[in-house]
Amino acid sequence: MVTGRGNGAARMVTIGVLALQGAVREHERMLDGLGVATRRVRVPSQLDGLDGLVLPGGESTAIARLARPSGLLTAIRDRIDAGFPVFGTCAGLILLADDVADPGGLVGLPTIGGLDVTVRRNAYGAQLASGEADVELSAGALVAAHDVGVALPRYEDRNGSVHPVGRDDRAVDEPSTMRGVFIRAPRIERVGAGVQVLGTREYEPVAIRSGAVFACTFHPEIVPDPALHALWLGGV
Ligand code: GLN
């Protein structure tokens, strides 16, 4: 079970999953495997009482269009400004970006923003350019996982070996690799001064962090490697 680090007794962490469109179930399954309770979020009132929120991949334009009537994305932004932990994957990253190059159908729709990056939608081409690739997690990312001081969960890799996530097993003085599934992924073209790069693919940033906001261009919930989810949860 993952528990919050607040002062008193350990408490169960409840994470919301934005559930308007996209890979909702896959994130729920990943979070469930990490011992975290989840709740689907479709309207602003469902944000109340959550310890953090996952923004799944899917189609950023569809999510933004479906969220507009309730003002959900603006409500999420207000909470981010107050320190609320959010993890955006793929379309979720696009919604978090302060600047979207080639925004297409997002023009005129409220998004979330707050993450000082420029992303380009569908930068790797069409569906054919999609696939699985290695992501190098920076040593700094893994040290951060250790330093948050929570017992990070173990996970089973694709060969059936069981590893703890963090300093005990993954080398921190060398980068470590996780698999990421890239599906019509955005490219991070600019990273602002306050944004830390957690992971790269062929030397390009693909996983980033700014305070309690984490984001990646790929789908980390599809492969059985919870390293990024666990890292984010460590700060929740
Ligand atoms: N290309 C999609 C978009 O613009 C993102 C793809 C994804 O989330 N897998 O929202």
Side-chain angles (χ1 to χ4, degrees), residues 56-63 89-92 94 106 121-122 181-186 217-219:
E59 186 53 49
S60 53
T61 52
I63 296 171
T89 63
C90 204
I94 294 168
L106 282 177
R121 294 181 62 217
N122 305 322
V181 178
F182 292 79
I183 304 171
R184 291 180 299 111
T217 64
F218 54 94
H219 285 253

Side-chain angles (χ1 to χ4, degrees), residues 14 18 50 72 84 97 99 102 135 146 177-178 184 188 235:
T14 303
L18 182 70
L50 292 176
L72 177 58
F84 184 57
D99 185 32
D102 210 357
V135 172
H146 175 80
T177 301
M178 73 176 281
R184 291 180 299 111
I188 299 171

Side-chain angles (χ1 to χ4, degrees), residues 137-152:
L137 290 180
S138 70
L142 297 173
V143 172
H146 175 80
D147 288 349
V148 294
V150 288
L152 292 172

